[in-house]
Amino acid sequence: MKAAELFVKALENEGVEYIFGIPGEENLDVMDALLDSRIRFITTRHEQGAAFMADVYGRLTGRAGVCMATLGPGATNLITGVADANMDHAPLVAIAGQASTRRLHKESHQVLDLEAMFLPITKYSTRIVSPEVIPEIIRKAFKVAQTEKTGACFIEFPENIAEMSVDDTPLRVKNATSPEPASEHIERAAELISNAKNPIILAGNGVVRSAAAEALAAFAENLNIPVANTFMAKGVIPFRHTMALGSVGLQSNDYVNTGFANADVIICIGYDMVEYHPYLWHPSRDRTLIHIDTTHAEVDAYYSVLVAVVGNINHSLNRIAALASPHQGRALRTLRNSLIEDMNQHKEDVEFPVKPQKIIWDLRTAMDLEDIVICDVGAHKMWMSRMFRCEYPNTCIISNGFASMGIAVPGAIAAKLAHPERRVVAVTGDAGFLMNSQEIETAMRLKVAVVILIWNDASYGLIEWKQQNQFGRKSHVDFTNPDFVQYAKSFGAEGVRIEHTEQLMPALKAALDRNTVTVIDCPVDYRENLKLTAKLGQLTNPD
């Protein structure tokens, strides 16, 4: 068989359902081999959209999402989505065609050293130099991508190698499993927790990746320890849970309001430093830190761990809970209660343009608890991260490690492909929407029904927020938008413009019930941004 055919068989062997990408001259043989494959190739309108789709698919399923491009500009267009997946620890395998190996040693049309280019933004980057290594490279890429901490891998496939003949078969799939935590570390952690006066849990996205949300909730309840979660771990403990404090990471006073300032023992579970830097919640550098994760802790001056329990998070939590004495104090619920008060305060608000709190109230009310929101990056993300209540993990996907604009629309398509039984909403600003809005055509062609809710302020709102907060004036953030309703209709999608606040809830409910793409253009009153900053303190989120 051709090397390209073996390549596709190896992808099938890994259980690949979809490849998101764009055909090109240097991946002709792979594209032809896919015609005889059970893998579904999703033709996108931009390689960045393809990478974001693979990113979100990987984060939702735990299986590596796959994206593919041709050489040169096709491959470089993948970079943002690949970097996002790697920094947010979403399993992803990116593939790019390449020119013949006979011209890689010299200046040549569209040729870049892609292996070197992807090396800093992936866990593993390689070039296929002979057909015989294909089974090993595919197996390694998927194993590395799907092993904690999960992330992105890259494979460069030169066109002349793809044409060669080979007689081989894929390798047996066996993914790595997390080891059992050491007994002495379990015992030490249980001792520290038992003797703590004011312990608190900081839960991160690693809990989601390890499917340990139920174990975390039981751990917190049995030991009576409150839980603050990062933006990327929303829903990892249900918001209604008696120990849930809410999502942290927006501003400086989270340190005080959530209880970190008074905590003597901070238990970090599945926590990744890119989610919420420890200098924001551990500025004193004098508290006892317990690290519970599948891998060892990152080195940081503000994250000096006294004991690390490394291994299967479910087993670690269950074994510590069996040995530790329950905490006797009461959970400090200042942040959670203030969020509830703020949300309830605006549920009947009818001022127009619509306040962020009202948009979130109506969206949360219109959606089922297991429906999925893909949140883009911008001022709306600050509000959604903090105030959108989640009862289940992976129901609000937020890019927070790399924090790239443009993820919401392609991400929503991938979410619907991964979970066709759930309804999916892309929450985006007007700026982020137009960065990948071309993928509406992809959704319409695939008959994928998603709702795109645009928070429209004709500005780079988050940057304006920070400019006003720091300098008292704005600089070069304003722009004009097209008619989003007509824009949506030009794709054959539905378009709705919110012209008064009472229209939003019925528009959301109708859109969620439609079997097509609906774009909702909702003017937002971002005067609330500076009010929030004044109320809560300095905005500290780095993106």
Side-chain angles (χ1 to χ4, degrees), residues 346-361:
H346 292 88
K347 65 181 180 180
E348 303 295 341
D349 196 292
V350 295
E351 288 189 26
F352 190 82
V354 191
K355 288 186 173 66
Q357 303 96 314
K358 174 61 172 173
I359 298 176
I360 292 172
W361 178 274

Side-chain angles (χ1 to χ4, degrees), residues 486-513:
Q486 292 302 317
Y487 187 67
K489 290 181 177 179
S490 72
F491 289 101
E494 292 290 325
V496 179
R497 180 177 295 108
I498 303 303
E499 296 178 334
H500 53 85
T501 300
E502 297 91 333
Q503 183 186 356
L504 180 58
M505 178 73 81
L508 284 167
K509 289 182 176 179
L512 288 164
D513 287 339

Side-chain angles (χ1 to χ4, degrees), residues 7 11 26-27 47 51 64-83 85-86 90-99 104 110 112-129 134 136-146 151-158:
F7 188 89
L11 294 176
E26 280 69 23
N27 58 25
E47 293 89 352
V66 182
C67 54
M68 188 166 74
T70 189
L71 83 173
T76 59
N77 283 344
L78 291 175
I79 284 177
T80 297
V82 172
N86 199 54
L92 176 148
V93 173
I95 302 160
Q98 180 58 287
L104 296 185
Q110 290 192 311
L112 296 170
D113 186 343
L114 299 177
E115 179 186 4
M117 188 171 293
F118 279 84
L119 186 62
I121 60 167
T122 58
K123 295 178 69 180
Y124 170 61
S125 179
T126 192
R127 173 183 297 153
I128 299 175
V129 293
I134 287 173
E136 290 181 348
I137 284 178
I138 294 291
R139 180 77 283 271
K140 181 174 181 179
F142 279 82
K143 182 177 181 178
V144 171
Q146 293 170 171
C153 294
F154 173 74
I155 301 170
E156 179 186 304
F157 199 3

